[in-house]
């Protein structure tokens, strides 16, 4: 049996990778992908704990997180499309206006 | 080590490596492919954790839905410009440092919780039959979040369409 | 000898054998599906179709396969080589792997899991990735446009498809594929009769999901040349091709499993029709007899030697198969597989028939049909189905009657939606 | 022919893209190249690039004698070679002041109408194929084959027939010609019903063609469209009626016209035209006069100086020959007025605002042959 | 006046039933009389002359077809008048003839047709080698490609044409093939290379 | 339980290896590709392609993808409901009606907004 904390360690590592991606990449699309990594790391934790305690509540939370991820991706990428049509770029550091 | 343990470690390594590739690839499409690999490994890890419903959801929603969305967007925006530019922004050293601190924190927490984590986990069949249990929990204990999720989806739909449609 | 049996008795080895059997059978079915399509289309179109390779062109798929294997491998300039290579592999993976969850007979399936149907959907939804990556990797206008179209079409009809599947699950109460078949056995009726609208939606969505006429826009050769696989040639192309036909078989199998009783024989609960389980034996026996009769009437002579030999071999094979099928466990498996495949071929024939008959929709019309008609109808159908079931439980109405009422209500909505469309 | 792209890739709006359709495209009916400026899948504008098949037929005409040039016209609209030959021979006859004898004119009419049916059949098959119906093409080729067999029996060639000669015919009709034609006619109407059964009432076919590629009557006239394209827009004009040639003044037939000028109407018009052609053939085959098959025009053709324009109602529209003679054995100037070329010009106007799929349908409905467009 | 418009052809021989004259051997008809162009004078021409006096040149009837010579100076006005007033609303064809050696080298030929009168009229515009001709694209949309073809083949420049480029020949082509001084016999390898920019396969 | 999934994995691996192995095998059999002329140029109907193909295509495709993701998530909620429907009964139906009702409102909004129109 794999100890639960191994899952936690994997989740932590994935989370960190995601954070690095969010902080360092310029391309918004890749930043979004890194966000997905972070959310996945959380999901691993939730499922691992659900398994540990033998309850499905963690699964429910994970489903909601996936729902949120889908909503986030839809809206975020929608904003990105709108932004790209106006500014012709997908670079995060060029999004420096509060209004355009 | 049993077969299942081996599976986990292999999957963990694949997930981690491809996650690293996600954030290092210059080409967003390659990033997306590696993200698919990560998500697939995570789905298999779910499976290995007895969360079969979650594994299926992960594949259906994440890989079949969200990743398709990502690929669409990558194709909609002009890719070549992005590929030619510097992939990382100026704060990469600060970011790296912050990430290291974060990792250290995680290590500390997991280390502190090691005793708790050694508690015997529940029986393997505790979360079976998966879908049925989730159904019952979702529709009996988590009614409100469930209905709110529908609102969230509504808002996301409206927001995304408005954003994309505006000229 | 014991060691061999022991090895064979290992669950994983058993699973592997089953996997290999299903994979090989599937590849053969797909190869001959292409042949069948060519033949049937040819007969619809007053021509003969393949006739040269083997009697009635029976060896044509093999010749095609060899030809494609030997063809030059061209990767266009500017293509992303790795992704170009990966895309067909993903597509094949997606459309083949889902067969591991399809029950072919009561005792013959690769595996049966609790969330089987979800996994079937999950695995087959990976196919979209192959298409979109293939279109992107080619670095060419037509494939890209074809890939975008294809993806938009697939995802649109996937929504309708999922809703149609949910109606069936409402009736079955399980996601296990074999469980769904057994539910139909238990309730004594194929779900197609309980949920005709859902079955219709599934059928239309299945045609759209497999890019078949009249929804074959992604590869509408008159507009987009060949769609997302325009740049693919040789064996890579044939992989897409195989995957497409495998997907046809897959959606037919899903439809059959969920709505047409899977491996159940017709009227599974009527005892006196039990002789139907000998159908495969009879069919093989008849085929063998026919072959032998032909063999004896066949002209003798050197130039006919090979044909005679082939006929004899076919007859002997069929006769042997008929005898072998009498062995009880094999009989269960074979009669299940027989009825299952018979229903699947009915579907496949419809696919081919449509291809020979219909013109092609335009893309906007296709999308409108999907989003303005099929999806609302599917949602409404799920709701009404749910209402019908609750009526039967809470008020004690006859289950079939309430479901039929629900279907009638759905049809009214369909009429209203259709009025909206025109 | 390495034509350099003339519209440079200008800066496009966020959703605009330039898509090149042809010359190697399954449904541009040859080597037509259409450059589409798209907004998503919607056509903003288009540009036809033609000339890939240009062989300088008009220049060749200036260096051949009148009789030598006759086979060349078969190769312009190569799916209606008989019609081309009729137009050319009659133009030269007019230039000479000669007229083919009645029997020749009757046979010419029969063969030309059969050719019209063959051409329309080819059009129907490919048009349906473009819209995704793959079966009609095989049915159409089945009937076309019968017609081509008659041609083959008559003059030995199926496609580029060179069936007629200046002044009349070279060959007398073969034994059984009338029976063959009658046999063909006997089955033909039911076959047309068969095609219509597949298409005319088909919901998808109607959705794909009705309201697509609308050409108003005024636009059609202004753009010089002729033939079924013009009639589909509701202009009841047919050269067989306006300026009767061959033996058309002897036969009764209707001129089918459309109402809305859309692809569906042009489809109906052509389907009706096939029935009308069938009607003409039936009338003609029963009344072929006997007599000589060729006028006496001499071996060496030296038309007196002057010029003539003669046009016929080819399957695709007004096919005109404008010949200037300087009194020598060769035309001084030989101009072919190609219906496909002029009709193709309407394409841009018709496809603006439509989708890519409609472009294919509209190209199909124009019924162009690139050999004639490019000459 | 063009006289092709008789809808009821009286002079055509009635069809003789097949078989009636089978016995008589087919006798070739007499040799035709060579047609001669003759001067033309009818209402339309008179109206044209009254309106555009000197711009309307010779009018002839050749093979029963009406031909009017129009000077390029008022060509566009004449066309406009013909289209709007005389209802020649269909431009059947637009082409040119190269009379190499003549002072005004080209004849621009316009074939007009009127649906309402069912009659044809041919305009002839003599043009010198360097004379530009006004474009009639504004009057008949058909003229667009036809003028482009004319430019391509003869080098006649149409002023006011929206998009005067070569249409059948490649853009880089040298010379105008339908001119009489364009020698088609010199197409050797060098010529192909110069004109098409490709290596000749000959 | 997870052992039931191993055959799926096996099948997947075989299905994935099938193209790989066959392509490799084919590369041994077939003659070498000769890279001459235009044969490796992307297909653009016979003329050199202009610009980069990985260009921009309509935003409508994107809207379709968004809607798909939203409805995909929705169906995910429906599956456990459908499986447990008998146990949930009328209450489950009402819950799902509310859930679907909210989304149907969104659907009608989309319809009115014209987001479901392709052109």
């Amino acid at each position: 049996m794999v100890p639960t904390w191994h899952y936690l360690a994997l989740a932590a590592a994935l989370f960190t990778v995601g954070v690095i991606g969010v902080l360092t990449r310029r391309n918004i699309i890749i930043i979004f992908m890194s966000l997905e990594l972070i959310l996945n790391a959380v999901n691993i934790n939730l499922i691992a704990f659900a398994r540990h305690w033998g309850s499905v509540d963690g699964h429910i939370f994970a489903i909601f997180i996936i729902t949120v991820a889908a909503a986030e991706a839809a809206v975020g990428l929608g904003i990105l499309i709108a932004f790209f049509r106006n500014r012709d770029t997908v670079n995060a550091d060029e999004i420096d206006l509060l209004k355009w | 080590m049993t077969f299942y343990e081996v599976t986990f470690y292999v999957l963990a390594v694949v997930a981690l490596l491809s996650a690293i590739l996600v954030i290092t690839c210059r080409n967003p499409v390659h990033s997306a492919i590696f993200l698919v690999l990560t998500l697939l490994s995570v789905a298999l890890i779910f499976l290995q954790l007895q969360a079969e419903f979650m594994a299926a959801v992960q594949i259906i929603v994440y890989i079949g839905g969200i990743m398709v969305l990502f690929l669409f967007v990558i194709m909609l925006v002009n890719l070549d410009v992005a590929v030619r530019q510097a992939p990382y922004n100026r704060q990469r050293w600060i970011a790296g440092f912050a990430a290291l601190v974060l990792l250290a924190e995680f290590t500390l927490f997991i280390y502190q919780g090691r005793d708790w984590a050694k508690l015997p986990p529940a029986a393997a069949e505790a979360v079976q039959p998966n879908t049925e249990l989730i159904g019952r929990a979702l529709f009996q204990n988590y009614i409100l979040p469930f209905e709110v999720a529908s609102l969230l989806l509504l808002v996301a739909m409206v927001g995304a369409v408005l954003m994309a449609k505006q000229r | 000898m014991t060691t061999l049996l022991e090895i064979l008795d290992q669950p994983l080895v058993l699973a592997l054998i089953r996997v290999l059997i299903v994979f090989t059978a599937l590849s053969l079915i797909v190869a001959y599906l292409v042949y069948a399509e060519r033949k049937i289309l040819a007969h619809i179109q007053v021509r003969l179709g393949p006739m040269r390779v083997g009697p009635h062109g029976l060896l044509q798929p093999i010749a095609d396969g060899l030809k494609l294997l030997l063809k030059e491998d061209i990767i266009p300039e500017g293509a992303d080589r790795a992704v170009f290579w990966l895309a067909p592999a993903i597509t094949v993976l997606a459309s083949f792997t889902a067969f591991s969850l399809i029950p072919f007979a009561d005792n013959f399936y690769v595996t049966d899991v609790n969330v089987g149907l979800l996994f079937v959907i999950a695995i087959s939804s990976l196919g979209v990735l192959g298409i979109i990556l293939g279109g992107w990797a080619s670095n060419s206008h037509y494939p890209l446009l074809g890939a975008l179209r294809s993806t938009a079409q697939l995802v649109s009809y996937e929504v309708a498809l999922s809703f149609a599947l949910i109606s069936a699950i409402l009736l079955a109460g399980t996601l296990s594929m074999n469980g769904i078949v057994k539910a139909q056995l238990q309730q004594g009726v194929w779900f197609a009769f309980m949920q005709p609208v859902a079955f219709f939606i599934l059928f239309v969505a299945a045609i759209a999901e497999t890019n078949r006429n009249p929804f074959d826009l992604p590869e509408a050769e008159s507009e987009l040349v060949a769609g997302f696989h325009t740049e693919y040639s040789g064996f890579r192309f044939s992989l897409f091709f195989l995957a497409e036909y495998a997907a046809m078989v897959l959606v037919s199998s899903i439809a059959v499993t969920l709505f047409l009783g899977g491996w159940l024989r017709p009227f599974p609960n009527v005892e006196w029709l039990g002789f139907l389980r000998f159908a495969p034996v009879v069919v093989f026996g008849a085929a063998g007899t026919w072959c032998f009769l032909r063999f004896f009437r066949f002209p003798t002579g050197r130039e006919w030697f090979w044909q005679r030999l082939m006929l004899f071999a076919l007859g002997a094979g069929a006769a042997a198969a008929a005898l072998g099928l009498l062995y009880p466990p094999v009989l269960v498996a074979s009669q299940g597989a027989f009825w299952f495949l018979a229903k699947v071929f009915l579907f496949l024939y419809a696919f081919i028939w449509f291809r020979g008959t219909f013109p092609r929709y335009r893309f906007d019309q296709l999308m409108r049909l999907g989003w303005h008609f099929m999806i609302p109808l599917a949602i409404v159908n799920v709701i009404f189905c749910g209402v019908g079931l609750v009526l039967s439980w809470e008020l004690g109405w006859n289950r079939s009657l309430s479901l039929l009422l629900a279907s009638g209500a759905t049809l009214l909505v369909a009429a209203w939606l259709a009025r909206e469309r025109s | 022919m390495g034509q350099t792209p003339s519209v440079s890739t200008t800066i496009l709006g966020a959703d605009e893209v330039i898509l090149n359709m042809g010359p190697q495209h399954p449904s541009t009916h040859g080597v037509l190249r259409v450059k589409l400026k798209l907004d998503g899948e919607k056509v903003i504008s288009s540009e036809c690039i033609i000339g890939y098949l240009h062989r300088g037929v008009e220049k060749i005409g200036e260096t051949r004698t009148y009789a030598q040039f006759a086979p060349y016209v078969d190769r312009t609209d190569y799916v209606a070679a008989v019609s081309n030959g009729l137009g050319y021979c009659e133009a030269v006859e007019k230039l000479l002041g000669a007229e083919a004898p009645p029997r020749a004119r009757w046979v010419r009419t029969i063969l030309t109408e059969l050719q019209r049916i063959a051409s329309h059949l080819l059009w129907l098959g490919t048009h349906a194929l473009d819209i995704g119906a793959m079966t009609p093409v095989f049915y159409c080729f089945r009937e076309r084959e019968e017609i081509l067999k008659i041609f083959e029996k008559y003059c030995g060639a199926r496609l580029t027939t060179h069936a007629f000669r200046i002044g009349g015919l070279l060959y007398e009709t073969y034994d059984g010609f009338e029976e063959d034609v009658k046999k063909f006619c006997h089955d033909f109407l039911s076959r047309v019903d068969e095609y219509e059964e597949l298409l005319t009432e088909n919901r998808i076919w109607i959705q794909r063609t009705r309201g697509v590629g609308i050409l108003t009557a005024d636009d059609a006239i202004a753009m010089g469209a002729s033939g079924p394209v013009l009639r589909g827009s509701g202009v009841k004009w047919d050269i067989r009626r306006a300026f009767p040639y061959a033996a058309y003044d002897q036969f009764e037939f209707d001129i089918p016209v459309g109402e809305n000028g859309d692809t569906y109407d042009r489809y109906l018009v052509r389907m009706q035209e096939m029935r009308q052609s069938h009607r003409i053939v039936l009338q003609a085959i029963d009344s072929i006069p006997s007599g000589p098959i060729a006028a006496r025009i001499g071996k060496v053709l030296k038309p007196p100086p002057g010029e003539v324009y003669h046009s016929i109602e080819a399957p695709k529209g007004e096919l005109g020959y404008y010949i200037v003679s300087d009194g020598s054995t060769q035309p001084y100037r030989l101009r072919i007025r190609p219906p496909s070329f002029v009709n193709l010009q309407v394409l841009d106007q018709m496809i603006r605002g439509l989708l890519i799929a409609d472009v294919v349908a509209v190209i199909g409905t124009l019924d162009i042959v690139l050999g004639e467009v490019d000459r | 006046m063009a006289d092709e418009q008789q809808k009821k052809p009286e002079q055509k021989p009635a069809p003789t039933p097949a078989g009636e004259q089978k016995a008589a051997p087919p006798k070739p008809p007499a040799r035709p009389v060579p047609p001669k162009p003759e001067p033309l004078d009818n209402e339309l021409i008179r109206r044209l002359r009254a309106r555009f006096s000197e711009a309307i040149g010779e009018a002839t009837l050749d093979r029963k077809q009406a031909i009017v010579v129009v000077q390029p100076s008022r060509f566009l006005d004449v066309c406009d008048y013909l289209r709007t007033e005389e209802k020649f609303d269909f431009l059947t064809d637009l082409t040119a003839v190269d009379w190499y050696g003549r002072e005004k080298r080209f004849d621009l030929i316009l074939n007009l047709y009127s649906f309402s009168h069912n009659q044809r009229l041919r305009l002839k515009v003599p043009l010198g080698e360097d004379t530009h001709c006004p474009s009639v694209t504004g009057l008949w949309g058909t003229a667009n490609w036809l003028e482009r073809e004319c430019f391509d083949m003869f080098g006649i420049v149409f002023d006011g044409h929206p998009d005067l480029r070569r249409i059948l020949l490649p853009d880089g082509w040298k010379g105008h093939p339908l001119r009489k001084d364009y020698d088609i016999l010199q197409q050797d390898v060098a010529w192909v290379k110069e004109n098409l920019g490709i290596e000749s396969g000959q | 339980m997870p052992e039931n999934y191993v055959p799926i994995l096996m099948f997947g691996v075989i299905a994935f290896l099938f193209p790989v192995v066959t392509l490799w095998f084919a590369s041994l059999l077939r003659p070498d590709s000769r890279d001459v002329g235009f044969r490796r140029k992307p297909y653009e109907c016979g003329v050199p392609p202009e610009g980069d193909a990985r260009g921009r295509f309509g935003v409508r495709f994107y809207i379709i993808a968004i809607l798909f993701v939203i409805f995909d998530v929705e169906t995910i909620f429906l599956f456990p409901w459908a499986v447990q429907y008998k146990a949930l009964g009328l209450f489950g139906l009402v819950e799902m009606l509310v859930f679907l009702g909210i989304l149907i409102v969104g659907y009608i909004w989309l319809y009115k907004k014209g987001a479901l129109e392709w052109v």
Side-chain angles (χ1 to χ4, degrees), chain F residues 60-97:
Chain F
R60 296 170 198 86
F61 285 116
Y62 173 68
I63 290 179
I64 293 294
I66 288 179
L67 294 180
F68 164 63
V69 170
I70 304 279
F71 279 93
D72 214 19
V73 175
E74 197 179 330
T75 49
I76 288 310
F77 282 107
L78 286 173
F79 277 108
W81 171 75
V83 172
Q84 275 295 296
Y85 190 53
K86 195 148 192 176
L88 298 170
L90 182 62
F91 185 59
L93 177 69
V94 172
E95 263 185 291
M96 190 44 74
L97 280 183

Side-chain angles (χ1 to χ4, degrees), chain D residues 29 53 76-80 119 122 316 340-341 367-374:
Chain D
H29 293 225
L53 222 55
T76 56
D77 180 358
Y78 40 76
V79 299
S119 170
L122 189 75
K316 292 170 181 61
S340 298
F341 179 81
D367 191 17
I368 50 164
V369 163
L370 266 295
E372 188 175 67
V373 172
D374 295 343

